[in-house]
Amino acid sequence: MKTKLLFAFIAGFFSLPLFSQKDQEMAVYAEKKGDDYYLVRLVKDQPVPKVYVYSNGVTQPYKKYNELKDIVMDFPGMMEANNSTKEELVSVLKKGDHFYEITSQRKDPKNFEKTTITVYEVYQGQKRIVEEYGSILELMSTPYKEAIFIN
């Protein structure tokens, strides 16, 4: 049942008009384990997201999954994030000497449009808020959009 809810959640992302380029990926979930970040990204017209690992300044494919449930088994936090109103890590971005974590927080777990996106700069283990956006649409005109929409 929970996997079906997650499928519905992911299908909702594909309806976003912003997510329109054929090979574009959209970051939907990230998890930090030790010093590494595991990044889950949707690809248009593909039923299973891709998973990457960001380690030592390099992003590379982590593992090829054939079913969504296998990703959920490796990253059970995805299920909690699906219906959560707490702040969740979505992606990371390295620009020059700066490293950013991008989070989202839904005001209403059933309404994707009521989401706050926060960009944190991480420096020497400390995080500071750089920007906060009231929706993913506001993020689209910023230099941080490439953390969510990856070509």
Side-chain angles (χ1 to χ4, degrees):
M1 176 66 177
K2 287 185 176 184
T3 305
K4 287 182 183 179
L5 288 173
L6 188 59
F7 274 123
F9 169 71
I10 287 174
F13 280 114
F14 288 121
S15 65
L16 286 175
L18 306 169
F19 188 51
S20 59
Q21 294 180 349
K22 179 92 173 126
D23 294 327
Q24 190 174 45
E25 296 178 355
M26 180 178 177
V28 292
Y29 178 77
E31 194 169 296
K32 186 174 182 182
K33 294 181 180 180
D35 291 334
D36 299 334
Y37 291 86
Y38 294 84
L39 312 167
V40 178
R41 298 175 178 168
L42 299 177
V43 181
K44 188 171 178 90
D45 298 329
Q46 290 187 11
V48 180
K50 290 185 178 181
V51 179
Y52 297 88
V53 61
Y54 177 88
S55 182
N56 298 320
V58 177
T59 302
Q60 56 192 13
Y62 171 61
K63 197 194 288 192
K64 180 158 175 45
Y65 292 93
N66 294 319
E67 295 187 37
L68 182 61
K69 70 177 182 169
D70 295 330
I71 297 172
V72 172
M73 295 296 283
D74 283 355
F75 304 100
M78 275 180 69
M79 290 306 296
E80 293 174 24
N82 185 33
N83 290 313
S84 176
T85 57
K86 68 180 199 172
E87 189 172 42
E88 301 287 347
L89 185 62
V90 176
S91 191
V92 296
L93 177 66
K94 175 110 171 105
K95 277 185 134 342
D97 294 337
H98 300 275
F99 181 75
Y100 304 95
E101 288 183 358
I102 289 74
T103 65
S104 70
Q105 182 176 15
R106 288 199 235 171
K107 304 299 179 205
D108 176 358
K110 295 178 183 15
N111 188 346
F112 177 74
E113 293 174 2
K114 294 183 179 179
T115 301
T116 301
I117 309 291
T118 306
V119 178
Y120 292 94
E121 182 175 20
V122 181
Y123 182 72
Q124 296 180 345
Q126 301 290 318
K127 290 196 312 188
R128 72 174 183 90
I129 294 176
V130 175
E131 292 287 339
E132 200 167 79
Y133 303 98
S135 73
I136 199 160
L137 293 174
E138 288 180 29
L139 180 75
M140 290 310 298
S141 62
T142 74
Y144 308 110
K145 73 178 176 188
E146 60 195 69
I148 303 296
F149 296 96
I150 302 99
N151 290 328

